[in-house]
Amino acid sequence: MQINVKVGDFRTETADAVVFGVFEGEPLVSVAQAADAVTDGAISELIDSGDFTGEHKQTALLYSRGAITAPRIALIGLGKNENFDTEKVRQAVGKVVQELRDLGIKTLAISLPSETPQEIAQAIAEASRLALYQFNQHKTQGLDKIKELDSITFLVADEATKSMVEGGVAIGDAIANGTNLARDLSNQPPNHLTPTMLAEKAVEVANEVGLKCEVFDQAQLEERGFRTLLGVSQGSVEEPRFIILEHIPDGEGKDTVAFVGKGITFDSGGLSLKSGSGMMDMKHDMSGAAAVLGAMQVVGHLKPDLHVVGLIAASENMPSATAQRPGDVVETYGGKTIEILNTDAEGRLVLADALGYAAHYNPKATIDLATLTGAVITALGNVACGMLGTDDILMDKVKSAAEKTHERVWELPLWDDYDELIKSDVADVKNIGDGTAGTIVGAAVLKHFAEGYPWVHLDIAGTAWDVKGSSYIPSKGGTGYGVRLLIQLVHDWVS
Ligand code: BES
Ligand code: MN
Ligand code: ZN
């Protein structure tokens, strides 16, 4: 789907529908007022009758019957002006573009008032693409019934607004595409996305957007001592991969920020085998990696003045005669040893090596994203991810970015008191606690390996798929959670 920006008159626009936003309890904005005038008061009649109030996400469709070139006029409620923000825009736009798409319409135009700010244009573009996302790659039947928009045109009245809107659309477009890439990867069945294929995809993305990319294969991982990543993968016939993506800005002395993703392409639990139903969603266990790759694609497009490193530890977690055993002790990349008492707590193992490797970049911030624990779903549902870390300033930055993108984070404590739970009799640390405080224990294990830099861990097990209640986030499948947040953080960092 194309998103275009043009200076034009909605009266002569040839799209299948023209969309106008309406605030609740306010006079119509200029463009909607003009539409009302040419339709002989059709919009004010709707409002006066009480059938349409402009309540947030309310929609109405009018047939223009020749009053303008486009056959349809769509209204979208923006809610009360005093509650208006970018999240309200995203929710409203998501709703109206989905409804129009479902009518079978191919092209639509959105009429924007003069001086529409860049961040509103960004929100509209972002939400449009996010709301229209579908994952149909593996369907062969009923394809003729799938409805898709071909284009959305942002209609503006003057050149000054156009350049502002274009700026917003370029950013929103890149961010939505990165998020949809993360969704695609998360949704990909595990036989269609092995660690090797994930690495191939990373190389492809890097080449497209001009990122540096390096991939360590099995032999290189052995040579470099990524033993916990190798340990998780040793039960599988699929080789692990460690993926490094880098955006190197012009000039010297720029800050480095590292993003680290858990990339378990399928989590069976290993010898500590999950139940059948417990495995059903485990193709999504690489959603942290997907968010990192999606975000790096956006970084490649937007080229911020910041050194951004994306690290992905990719593996399958399978049971077999060669699988690691509960009781095994493995030396991590950084040299500390870990006793593996449950092979299903594998995310913290692959991340141990990745977080150890991140230290080489001397980052000002390292943020890992991982579908680490079922416990975070018990604690926070699918509304917020769990945030834990070693640096309050960095956590404040993450919180502030998350508020802007409405990817909610909620801090859980990472006090030393919890370290007691993961003391091992035979190694430096063990990979599970006593079953209490599951999300905190997961982070407490990671804390051992996230040394030498400010670090924040996001446990996205509850927010990475099957999230309900948002118009621009699909209610089934991967959400792409984290991509927008990471990009907002990068944006805030450089500005
Ligand atoms: N990938 C799972 C976490 C998970 C579970 C995400 C359910 C989404 C839904 C992770 O590898 C795992 O199995 N964690 C265990 C840890 C436990 C063995 C300490 C868990 O949460 O049960
Ligand atoms: Mn597991
Ligand atoms: Zn897992």
Side-chain angles (χ1 to χ4, degrees):
M1 187 195 62
Q2 280 285 126
I3 300 184
N4 316 305
V5 185
K6 80 175 193 204
V7 175
D9 190 329
F10 73 86
R11 296 171 191 85
T12 52
E13 178 55 39
T14 53
D16 297 327
V18 185
V19 181
F20 298 91
V22 177
F23 284 106
E24 187 178 353
E26 305 260 343
L28 294 171
V29 297
S30 54
V31 275
Q33 230 174 61
D36 191 40
V38 290
T39 56
D40 209 11
I43 298 177
S44 31
E45 190 179 329
L46 253 184
I47 294 172
D48 293 344
S49 70
D51 293 356
F52 182 82
T53 60
E55 187 192 325
H56 186 227
K57 288 168 81 170
Q58 190 186 24
T59 53
L61 192 62
L62 297 97
Y63 291 85
S64 65
R65 311 189 70 192
I68 65 172
T69 309
R72 298 173 193 81
I73 292 173
L75 304 179
I76 176 67
L78 301 175
K80 297 226 162 70
N81 201 358
E82 66 259 32
N83 300 330
F84 189 65
D85 62 11
T86 52
E87 175 63 7
K88 289 279 188 319
V89 174
R90 288 189 291 264
Q91 293 290 354
V93 168
K95 174 96 185 298
V96 71
V97 297
Q98 280 169 349
E99 281 190 6
L100 292 171
R101 185 236 359 239
D102 293 345
L103 288 177
I105 280 174
K106 288 291 172 197
T107 59
L108 63 88
I110 302 179
S111 179
L112 297 179
S114 281
E115 287 166 37
T116 295
Q118 174 167 320
E119 60 165 17
I120 299 294
Q122 179 190 327
I124 299 173
E126 211 176 287
S128 301
R129 239 184 230 299
L130 292 175
L132 296 170
Y133 174 82
Q134 306 181 62
F135 185 72
N136 294 319
Q137 283 178 31
H138 300 290
K139 291 192 177 155
T140 69
Q141 304 296 301
L143 295 177
D144 49 331
K145 299 208 175 58
I146 293 170
K147 288 170 175 158
E148 271 180 290
L149 283 182
D150 292 337
S151 73
I152 299 183
T153 302
F154 286 39
L155 269 185
V156 295
D158 50 78
E159 290 294 336
T161 308
K162 181 174 181 236
S163 72
M164 205 135 69
V165 167
E166 271 174 343
V169 167
I171 298 170
D173 225 6
I175 291 175
N177 283 329
T179 307
N180 287 343
L181 167 64
R183 290 171 172 181
D184 272 348
L185 291 168
S186 179
N187 289 334
Q188 210 52 262
N191 60 328
H192 289 269
L193 189 78
T194 62
T196 308
M197 296 180 208
L198 181 58
E200 282 163 5
K201 185 72 197 173
V203 170
E204 190 187 307
V205 168
N207 288 338
E208 265 167 34
V209 300
L211 295 167
K212 191 176 156 198
C213 183
E214 200 178 355
V215 176
F216 297 159
D217 63 13
Q218 171 103 15
Q220 287 159 309
L221 291 169
E222 279 164 11
E223 199 176 306
R224 289 167 188 273
F226 283 66
R227 296 175 209 86
T228 45
L229 174 56
L230 288 161
V232 169
S233 110
Q234 77 189 32
S236 172
V237 294
E238 293 296 336
E239 281 193 13
R241 290 289 183 267
F242 189 75
I243 305 162
I244 305 166
L245 294 149
E246 238 179 303
H247 163 67
I248 301 166
D250 293 336
E252 301 283 295
K254 303 290 158 67
D255 286 354
T256 300
V257 169
F259 302 144
V260 179
K262 168 179 172 182
I264 301 296
T265 58
F266 181 69
D267 181 11
S268 71
L271 285 179
S272 311
L273 198 64
K274 288 183 184 294
S275 67
S277 63
M279 266 181 231
M280 239 154 28
D281 279 335
M282 284 302 125
K283 67 171 184 183
H284 294 296
D285 208 20
M286 33 54 68
S287 298
V292 170
L293 183 47
M296 290 308 294
Q297 177 181 284
V298 186
V299 166
H301 273 298
L302 302 182
K303 307 211 183 302
D305 199 20
L306 184 71
H307 181 210
V308 188
V309 180
L311 303 174
I312 290 170
S315 174
E316 264 193 345
N317 186 24
M318 298 293 261
S320 76
T322 60
Q324 69 183 352
R325 296 143 290 245
D328 280 359
V329 171
V330 180
E331 187 185 341
T332 61
Y333 182 84
K336 283 190 187 172
T337 57
I338 184 160
E339 182 186 16
I340 296 150
L341 290 173
N342 188 320
T343 62
D344 197 11
E346 85 297 339
R348 55 203 78 180
L349 299 176
V350 302
L351 288 176
D353 280 348
L355 290 168
Y357 191 80
H360 288 308
Y361 296 93
N362 197 20
K364 288 277 189 311
T366 296
I367 295 158
D368 80 71
L369 297 98
T371 49
L372 206 73
T373 65
V376 83
I377 310 174
T378 308
L380 301 170
N382 53 35
V383 171
C385 83
M387 174 174 76
L388 306 96
T390 52
D391 191 275
D392 287 337
I393 296 169
L394 183 57
M395 280 194 282
D396 283 344
K397 287 195 170 121
V398 172
K399 258 183 233 168
S400 146
E403 248 156 56
K404 292 178 200 157
T405 65
H406 203 82
E407 290 162 293
R408 291 184 176 279
V409 300
W410 191 256
E411 188 183 347
L412 298 172
L414 194 52
W415 297 309
D416 294 344
D417 308 52
Y418 292 101
D419 291 341
E420 210 52 45
L421 294 171
I422 49 170
K423 282 207 171 125
S424 164
D425 295 332
V426 294
D428 298 333
V429 60
K430 57 181 184 176
N431 80 329
I432 54 166
D434 63 0
T436 65
T439 301
I440 299 173
V441 165
V445 173
L446 295 180
K447 188 173 72 171
H448 275 270
F449 310 104
E451 286 185 319
Y453 47 73
W455 163 71
V456 168
H457 161 64
L458 299 177
D459 190 335
I460 62 168
T463 51
W465 68 90
D466 291 359
V467 169
K468 286 147 206 84
S470 181
S471 76
Y472 64 92
I473 298 171
S475 60
K476 275 209 165 63
T479 60
Y481 180 96
V483 173
R484 295 184 303 119
L485 192 162
L486 293 179
I487 297 306
Q488 185 67 50
L489 188 90
V490 166
H491 174 266
D492 295 350
W493 199 288
V494 295
S495 50

